[in-house]
């Protein structure tokens, strides 16, 4: 399955099967039309009213489950699990409720900071069949950051990733170890906050 942008111009969403076929994000639809027909790819136009409605339904479910929540985008939110005795069980139940009530599968990453939660969510989405991943052990955090590509870090765009790689910083752990004065100078205060969050120091409150 692929979904097209306004006026059916470019491919803006792909199922895992479409990705496996090598269909590129942002590719002009007309260039892939013949290939997609041959591979029996189902092509859909965008429906932003539907997306907005489904987003509201999911966010409404989430908001009733926690005391503090920040809607980050149409398909993403940060939740506070403060005072939750069993975070993984809570997340698993929440995921099941969203699936049952809306039909939408979600992934949930749990960690002490927003940046680490984003790392955990990446793992929950890509590598974990449960769809929930908890990242709160110091040694495990370091182990995962050593293999986590710097371009996949929250807040590191293409421009920064390219620059950091040219300086030999290829993983999240490389940034984790970087001198904080250097980080502040080269990545501004936002970059410094990101590094602190990798070190388990909350710097982006909900």
């Amino acid at each position: 399955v692929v979904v097209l942008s306004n006026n059916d111009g470019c491919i803006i969403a792909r199922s895992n099967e479409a990705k496996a076929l090598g269909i590129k994000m942002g590719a002009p639809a007309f260039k892939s039309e013949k290939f997609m027909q041959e591979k029996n790819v189902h092509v859909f136009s965008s429906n932003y009213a539907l997306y907005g409605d489904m987003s509201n339904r999911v966010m409404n479910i989430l908001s009733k489950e926690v005391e503090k929540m920040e809607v980050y985008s149409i398909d993403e939110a940060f939740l506070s699990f403060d005072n939750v005795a069993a975070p993984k069980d809570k997340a698993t139940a929440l995921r099941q409720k969203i699936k049952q009530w809306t039909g939408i599968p979600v992934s949930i990453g749990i960690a002490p900071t927003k940046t680490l939660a984003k790392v955990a969510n990446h793992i929950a989405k890509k590598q974990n069949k449960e769809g929930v991943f908890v990242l709160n052990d110091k040694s495990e955090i370091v182990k995962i950051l050593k293999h986590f590509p710097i371009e996949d870090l929250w807040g590191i765009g293409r421009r920064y990733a390219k620059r950091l790689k040219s300086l030999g910083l290829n993983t999240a752990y490389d940034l984790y170890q970087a001198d904080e004065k250097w980080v502040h100078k080269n990545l501004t205060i936002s970059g410094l906050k990101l590094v602190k969050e990798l070190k388990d120091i909350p710097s982006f409150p909900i």
Side-chain angles (χ1 to χ4, degrees), residues 21-59:
L21 288 173
I23 296 171
K24 301 297 182 185
M25 183 71 163
F30 76 91
K31 288 188 176 181
S32 305
E33 189 173 356
K34 186 179 178 183
F35 175 78
M36 291 192 292
Q37 286 176 351
E38 290 173 355
K39 298 296 183 181
N40 197 31
V41 176
H42 296 267
V43 182
F44 293 92
S45 299
S46 298
N47 185 340
Y48 294 105
L50 174 64
Y51 305 155
D53 179 61
M54 295 305 294
S55 175
N56 288 337
R57 288 174 62 185
V58 172
M59 297 305 175

Side-chain angles (χ1 to χ4, degrees), residues 89-109:
D89 292 345
K90 169 91 171 177
T92 301
L94 191 50
R95 186 174 186 268
Q96 289 170 349
K97 180 183 277 192
I98 292 169
K99 178 71 172 175
Q100 183 181 348
W101 289 16
T102 69
I104 293 178
V106 299
S107 55
I108 302 176

